[in-house]
Amino acid sequence: MPALVLAMGTAFTACEDLLDTENLSTDSLDNVLSNATDARKMVDHVYAYFCEDSYTSRMSTNWMQNTDVEIASINMAQTVGNDRRAVWCLNPSYFGDIRTAWDHNYAAIDFANQIITGMEKQPNFQNGDPDYLQIYGEAKCLRAYRYFLLCNFWGDVPFATEPTSSENLNDGGRVDKNKIYSYLIQDLINCEEGMQWADKITTEYMNREFALGFIVKLAMFRAGYSMQEDGTMSRCRISNEIDPVTYKDENGVEKTAQSNDEFYYVAQAYARKLINLKGRALSTDFKGIFDAQINGFSAADGDVLYEVAYIKNSGGDIGWCHGLSVVKGTWGSGTTYTNMAAPYAVSFDPEDQRFPVTCAMYRWDDDNIQTAKNGWAIEPAKWCRRDLDATDVESKGTGINDPLLRYADVLLLLAEADNEIGNGPTAEAKEMLRTVRARAFAKSPNAAEKVDAYVNSLSTYEEFKDAIRKERAWEFGGERIRKFDLIRWNYYSDAIVNTLESMREMAMNSLQLERNGDHFVQKKDQIEIADKGFASKLYYTVTDGRVEFLNDIWTQVDDSNEPYASAKSFASTDVKNNFTSTDTYRVNFAEQFGETQKDATGADLKDEDGNKRYIMTEGTRACFYGFTTKLNGTWNTGTEDISTLRGKPVPYVMPIPTDRIITSNGVLNNNGYLILNP
């Protein structure tokens, strides 16, 4: 086991005790930071907050739905509950987990502030000791990431860069998130050159590659949209009141960034810097990226720039509440709370190798038994606890690492920045997109068409922007970064409308199949995704416990013919004793989102031609309840036109914990920010 994992294990196995640590006095802080070994233990304490439920089961997983990629189903009764389900449906009201997440972010930040302030006084740091510069850079990266979480979940938040003390309580009010982003970008620019590359310190510590890549990401968020106090979405409104960021471009020319658009140049410069200093080829094995995290950690020259490090039976919820489900068995149990949206799944090109890695139409019910899943239960397949080498793994705390930033992310951010700067795709932008797609279609016989012809066909600003939005969805599905992307693009409401309209049309087209001679055909002209087609049902057999599909999600079959006509609908949880190798089974796919409309007596409603009327299911309508229904008072039956909701702000911002408002002496409140207070 690498020494790094052992060192981090001390921090991760005693999370609750570590969180009780009080701020150190100046004398004790100077003593602890007087040598690199103890200073490393200090920064490991900040990493330890990653193993708390507030991060593993909340901010990094179960609070990242619902989008056009990752989705979680609920019923209408759960839309107003005080738990994660209310977060999923964009109707977050205050509950205890919100307070814990808020407190843990600020506790991690305060500890990082102690390290940063203390190290700046140390002679070893002032003399440029490499170990001190690295630890100092890690503390700044950790602080930056925690503020990144706070700004995305809570909007404008209190901001402190000095340790809390009796003389300085850090009890100020909200600070514009763009001021925070600008400060953090400058912070990382100033320290990244003192940090070490991953081949010296591994991908399990925040390294120089990560610092460069995170500058790129922060710059794109600084240039983008966010929720304002008045509840509207806009880019930064006070750029001239924010200190400019000073940086050097790839030619060493010093420049400044203050206006929104100027931060695209910052992103461009630091993406290029990473590529020039530590570029790497993308592996053609897409699944291999995630397999490396299941039983170890990523190679220093690979796609993952930094991954949150966990050890078995101590930390990590990947493979427990997120990932391909294993309901019971030798490897322990874990059932995902996150699924993949069906319109997203069918948007993949069937030849894209990312699809089977990202979307699984089955789960493991036992060590050797699979069950096919319906259209609401497409599973995120990048990680599965069944692939663990060891079997003595507790259900929670799998030890599977979680990637925080990948090289492919930086490439696509550079392509996006170039498109914004040039008001259209440059040769560099196209090459970045081409690089990512080349891996996706590395095994396709039609790669030239899917990659080169596709990229070359993109000529306008809007075409390329749309292509980047789609590519980021296909590349990072299940990695839980889509929500924040949609926010900075101000595309969240459009994504919701697109998803719900597509789900409705998929259901309606499936439930109202037309006869064409002896075959069923779908009405394909109603939705954008229908050019690939989609299945109403999936048919499959089970051989040696493995599901073998007879059609895929893009292929509609004539269910009047055998073996489809006699396929069994399988719903029993007693999988092992019911599946037979001689039968065909079926499970709903597109039909899952629709149902017949009933009158007051429960009878089917019909149109003037005598055909049944179909509407969205309650679960589908509940999915985005806080936006479509509570906020905008629409979509109560699933028949309304919701296209008018495009461009409207989405209530994604969390309320500040009530306890923290009370103790703020009137400085903090939950007014504005489109918070749906009860």
Side-chain angles (χ1 to χ4, degrees):
M1 181 179 292
L4 166 63
V5 177
L6 289 173
M8 294 190 72
T10 303
F12 276 81
T13 54
C15 293
E16 292 185 4
D17 292 339
L18 285 169
L19 294 180
D20 293 334
T21 303
E22 296 180 357
N23 285 6
L24 300 174
S25 67
T26 301
D27 290 341
S28 61
L29 185 62
D30 288 343
N31 184 54
V32 169
L33 294 175
S34 63
N35 64 86
T37 300
D38 287 340
R40 164 58 60 197
K41 293 178 182 177
M42 287 277 286
V43 81
D44 281 354
H45 177 107
V46 187
Y47 281 106
Y49 283 90
F50 281 130
C51 77
E52 292 296 319
D53 268 9
S54 61
Y55 183 79
T56 60
S57 292
R58 301 297 181 264
M59 289 183 287
S60 71
T61 52
N62 293 319
W63 287 359
M64 296 308 290
Q65 301 96 336
N66 275 339
T67 71
D68 55 345
V69 173
E70 291 104 352
I71 202 163
S73 61
I74 59 176
N75 60 51
M76 200 62 74
Q78 296 169 322
T79 59
V80 292
N82 293 329
D83 61 16
R84 64 179 182 273
R85 296 168 184 83
V87 178
W88 294 345
C89 72
L90 302 169
N91 188 33
S93 57
Y94 174 68
F95 62 104
D97 289 347
I98 292 178
R99 179 185 64 194
T100 303
W102 174 276
D103 288 351
H104 283 180
N105 278 325
Y106 277 109
I109 288 168
D110 193 62
F111 213 95
N113 285 340
Q114 293 182 58
I115 297 168
I116 293 165
T117 300
M119 292 198 77
E120 289 173 344
K121 300 175 183 177
Q122 293 295 315
N124 285 342
F125 172 78
Q126 295 169 356
N127 294 332
D129 182 287
D131 290 336
Y132 274 74
L133 293 179
Q134 170 62 26
I135 293 169
Y136 179 78
E138 287 178 55
K140 288 205 163 186
C141 285
L142 285 162
R143 179 173 70 180
Y145 183 68
R146 287 289 171 170
Y147 273 122
F148 178 70
L149 290 175
L150 283 163
C151 290
N152 277 288
F153 281 118
W154 281 276
D156 301 333
V157 295
F159 182 56
T161 59
E162 297 293 330
T164 301
S165 65
S166 57
E167 293 78 27
N168 179 14
L169 298 178
N170 288 331
D171 55 355
R174 291 182 187 257
V175 173
D176 188 292
K177 67 189 76 60
N178 293 291
K179 288 186 177 182
I180 298 174
Y181 287 147
S182 292
Y183 184 96
L184 299 176
I185 292 166
Q186 188 69 73
D187 219 21
L188 298 188
I189 286 174
N190 293 343
C191 76
E192 59 89 4
E193 291 189 353
M195 297 184 70
Q196 297 175 26
W197 298 112
D199 57 9
K200 300 297 183 183
I201 197 169
T202 89
T203 58
E204 291 186 309
Y205 277 141
M206 290 185 173
N207 48 60
R208 191 178 179 190
E209 286 103 322
F210 172 78
L212 288 168
F214 200 46
I215 291 169
V216 177
K217 178 155 283 196
L218 286 172
M220 295 301 284
F221 275 76
R222 172 61 180 81
Y225 287 80
S226 60
M227 182 71 69
Q228 306 301 311
E229 185 176 5
D230 62 5
T232 62
M233 294 291 292
S234 77
R235 301 171 76 192
C236 180
R237 296 172 173 175
I238 56 168
S239 289
N240 61 341
E241 298 177 22
I242 300 176
D243 291 338
V245 168
T246 302
Y247 69 101
K248 291 181 180 179
D249 67 14
E250 65 272 19
N251 298 314
V253 177
E254 187 169 290
K255 294 184 176 181
T256 61
Q258 190 169 29
S259 69
N260 299 323
D261 286 345
E262 288 170 341
F263 281 89
Y264 290 125
Y265 290 92
V266 177
Q268 182 188 65
Y270 280 84
R272 288 174 175 173
K273 186 172 186 178
L274 173 59
I275 293 168
N276 291 335
L277 291 176
K278 213 68 172 177
R280 69 279 315 272
L282 297 183
S283 166
T284 57
D285 180 13
F286 188 68
K287 182 64 167 66
I289 299 171
F290 312 100
D291 288 343
Q293 294 140 30
I294 294 176
N295 289 297
F297 53 92
S298 301
D301 61 350
D303 197 14
V304 175
L305 303 183
Y306 166 71
E307 58 196 300
V308 181
Y310 296 111
I311 62 172
K312 186 183 64 176
N313 297 331
S314 179
D317 282 3
I318 302 301
W320 180 64
C321 68
H322 185 84
L324 185 55
S325 297
V326 180
V327 178
K328 62 180 179 179
T330 306
W331 290 270
S333 62
T335 304
T336 186
Y337 293 167
T338 303
N339 297 105
M340 314 308 291
Y344 165 68
V346 298
S347 75
F348 274 94
D349 188 297
E351 296 177 14
D352 189 335
Q353 70 160 312
R354 295 172 297 192
F355 170 72
V357 177
T358 305
C359 300
M361 294 304 305
Y362 63 90
R363 75 178 187 184
W364 290 96
D365 281 271
D366 206 336
D367 282 348
N368 297 299
I369 299 292
Q370 294 177 350
T371 304
K373 304 303 293 181
N374 63 43
W376 257 122
I378 307 171
E379 301 230 347
K382 289 179 176 176
W383 308 269
C384 179
R385 66 186 303 124
R386 195 177 179 280
D387 294 328
L388 287 162
D389 290 340
T391 57
D392 57 334
V393 181
E394 297 173 1
S395 292
K396 183 176 170 66
T398 61
I400 296 174
N401 284 1
D402 196 7
L404 212 61
L405 184 63
R406 294 206 277 119
Y407 188 63
D409 197 343
V410 178
L411 298 184
L412 291 178
L413 289 173
L414 174 55
E416 184 182 342
D418 276 5
N419 190 52
E420 295 292 338
I421 291 169
N423 195 34
T426 62
E428 179 183 52
K430 288 188 173 184
E431 185 56 32
M432 297 301 102
L433 176 58
R434 191 188 320 274
T435 299
V436 174
R437 284 187 69 82
R439 172 171 61 192
F441 293 95
K443 301 175 183 179
S444 168
N446 301 303
E449 172 193 348
K450 308 294 184 180
V451 181
D452 293 335
Y454 172 84
V455 174
N456 291 337
S457 71
L458 304 170
S459 60
T460 69
Y461 168 82
E462 288 296 340
E463 286 175 347
F464 198 79
K465 186 174 183 177
D466 183 60
I468 290 294
R469 278 199 292 254
K470 291 176 179 176
E471 202 67 40
R472 291 185 66 81
W474 296 321
E475 179 71 20
F476 304 113
E479 296 177 55
R480 297 131 12 245
I481 66 173
R482 186 63 169 183
K483 188 172 190 176
F484 293 170
D485 274 345
L486 294 175
I487 291 167
R488 69 179 177 86
W489 291 327
N490 194 24
Y491 196 70
Y492 206 160
S493 59
D494 282 32
I496 292 173
V497 172
N498 290 343
T499 297
L500 286 173
E501 287 185 341
S502 293
M503 291 168 80
R504 176 163 60 185
E505 295 303 325
M506 287 175 71
M508 300 312 105
N509 289 347
S510 295
L511 292 166
Q512 300 180 52
L513 292 172
E514 293 180 324
R515 276 286 186 180
N516 180 14
D518 294 328
H519 301 282
F520 287 111
V521 293
Q522 289 172 292
K523 303 175 184 177
K524 291 187 177 182
D525 58 345
Q526 297 181 36
I527 57 174
E528 179 183 352
I529 60 171
D531 59 342
K532 296 186 181 71
F534 48 84
S536 301
K537 293 182 176 67
L538 292 175
Y539 296 86
Y540 62 101
T541 59
V542 180
T543 304
D544 296 328
R546 307 297 178 98
V547 170
E548 296 181 0
F549 288 105
L550 304 181
N551 63 319
D552 57 38
I553 63 172
W554 300 278
T555 305
Q556 177 67 36
V557 299
D558 185 347
D559 60 10
S560 65
N561 295 332
E562 291 296 336
Y564 311 113
S566 58
K568 298 179 179 180
S569 178
F570 189 83
S572 172
T573 57
D574 188 9
V575 178
K576 187 174 292 187
N577 296 327
N578 280 280
F579 274 135
T580 70
S581 60
T582 58
D583 290 320
T584 300
Y585 299 90
R586 69 176 185 270
V587 63
N588 283 343
F589 181 63
E591 284 188 19
Q592 192 68 24
F593 312 114
E595 61 190 6
T596 56
Q597 190 173 17
K598 308 289 186 181
D599 63 18
T601 67
D604 292 339
L605 288 175
K606 298 182 179 180
D607 61 24
E608 58 186 16
D609 296 323
N611 299 314
K612 291 181 181 179
R613 293 171 59 180
Y614 296 96
I615 60 171
M616 296 295 284
T617 63
E618 180 188 274
T620 307
R621 287 183 280 122
C623 199
F624 298 97
Y625 167 85
F627 173 66
T628 60
T629 305
K630 183 173 181 180
L631 176 66
N632 291 297
T634 187
W635 239 54
N636 294 315
T637 67
T639 60
E640 299 90 345
D641 177 12
I642 60 169
S643 62
T644 57
L645 301 185
R646 292 183 183 277
K648 288 195 174 184
V650 176
Y652 67 85
V653 177
M654 299 278 200
I656 293 176
T658 304
D659 297 12
R660 303 301 163 248
I661 291 176
I662 292 172
T663 58
S664 75
N665 296 318
V667 173
L668 296 175
N669 60 64
N670 278 322
N671 300 330
Y673 300 97
L674 209 64
I675 297 170
L676 299 182
N677 292 303

